[in-house]
Amino acid sequence: MSLIADALQPNIARGLFALSGRPSVRHMSDTILIGPKSGYDLDIDDASEEVSIDFREGAFIAEAFGGDASRLASASFTTMSGLVGAIEDANSLPWALIRLYYASFYSGHGLIRLMGHSCTYFENKHVQHIKSLLNARGTMVNFALSGGLYSCKMNTKQTGFTMIQARGRVGGAHEAFWELFDGILSEFSETLVLSNLDKNDARDVLRKVEAARRIFRKGGGASWLSSVRNEIQYRHGKGVWSPLNLNRSRREALSRLAGQWTRDPMDIEIDTPPVDELPNFVLACVFTIALCRCALQRLKDRSPRAASSFAQIPLRIYEGA
């Protein structure tokens, strides 16, 4: 049993443990348009530029967060299929590393949804619907409310969420996401101090999470993974395209690191990462993927209907990958 699963469990949204089958809500943004027939409450905080939405139904909001998490984790594990071997091949190496990044990006998105957060793009149609409802009740919005990327957080009753525009320090949607992801990991680290874990166990989990965060934050900010992916994908850098600068032994070493995505996150060798950038990149990616898988496994194991838990959907893909 994983220590990090024990540490994560109190941070997982309660309603997800009882969620079973294939969730009908697969995109968080669509909750705005397909909310319960009873409607939902809206509130505006002009000072923080925050919108609060309460659907008054815990099952609906669990399905929204769980459905989104299942979709994203499934995409991550599908992306990992055959990837470890592809890293060894000189011709497939660059796109294998780009795929690895996207697998971690999807898993990171899935993980924060399991923890009651999301980084979600709301289209103009979603925002216009909110505006229409506010206008109907005579509520004025004194800040720019428009389509874009929003940071969402489940409310304490777990019947709705707040949404505020996500703004990274630099860059676009990927950079904004990794800043949010790092912030959630930081909050998770803080909860370890008050957790029920043995002090030594809590310290071990904290050390592992903080080791990953140090890689995420290389070079300042928290979007180093995105920077490396951009350099590989758009600048054809890091010596992974022709003419190739990585010999077979280095490619095999990267492949072995990538193969750790199936391990317990506590066993991933991230505590003292190597000096080279590519091994750091691979380790941080696989740690994120393994962390998401670990949370899904704990959800399934603790579900009163484990065989039909919604977590089974991405886990079956993982088992087939």
Side-chain angles (χ1 to χ4, degrees), residues 91-124:
N91 292 324
S92 61
L93 171 64
W95 278 108
L97 293 175
I98 294 167
R99 284 172 56 198
L100 179 62
Y101 167 82
Y102 275 102
S104 69
F105 181 69
Y106 294 147
S107 270
H109 269 284
L111 177 63
I112 67 171
R113 281 156 174 78
L114 299 177
M115 299 171 73
H117 297 262
S118 85
C119 190
T120 298
Y121 189 86
F122 288 85
E123 299 176 31
N124 284 329

Side-chain angles (χ1 to χ4, degrees), residues 253-297:
L254 290 178
S255 179
R256 286 193 296 272
L257 293 179
Q260 294 186 73
W261 80 282
T262 61
R263 301 178 70 181
D264 181 335
M266 295 298 295
D267 294 333
I268 293 178
E269 303 161 5
I270 201 170
D271 303 80
T272 307
V275 176
D276 292 347
E277 286 195 335
L278 285 178
N280 274 275
F281 174 81
V282 171
L283 280 168
C285 286
V286 299
F287 181 81
T288 305
I289 298 165
L291 203 57
C292 179
R293 190 203 73 247
C294 185
L296 285 165
Q297 188 65 53

Side-chain angles (χ1 to χ4, degrees), residues 25 27-34 40 42 51-53 55 61 64-65 68 113 117-131 145-153 160-166 173 180:
V25 183
H27 295 272
M28 277 283 298
S29 56
D30 288 340
T31 59
I32 302 299
L33 305 177
I34 62 171
Y40 49 86
L42 280 171
V51 179
S52 297
I53 304 174
F55 298 96
I61 202 65
F65 277 83
D68 229 15
R113 281 156 174 78
H117 297 262
S118 85
C119 190
T120 298
Y121 189 86
F122 288 85
E123 299 176 31
N124 284 329
K125 65 181 179 181
H126 302 117
V127 175
Q128 288 302 321
H129 190 68
I130 291 175
K131 286 183 174 180
L145 185 59
S146 58
L149 193 68
Y150 282 80
S151 170
C152 301
K153 183 177 182 179
F161 58 84
T162 57
M163 52 185 285
I164 185 170
Q165 282 204 299
L180 175 63

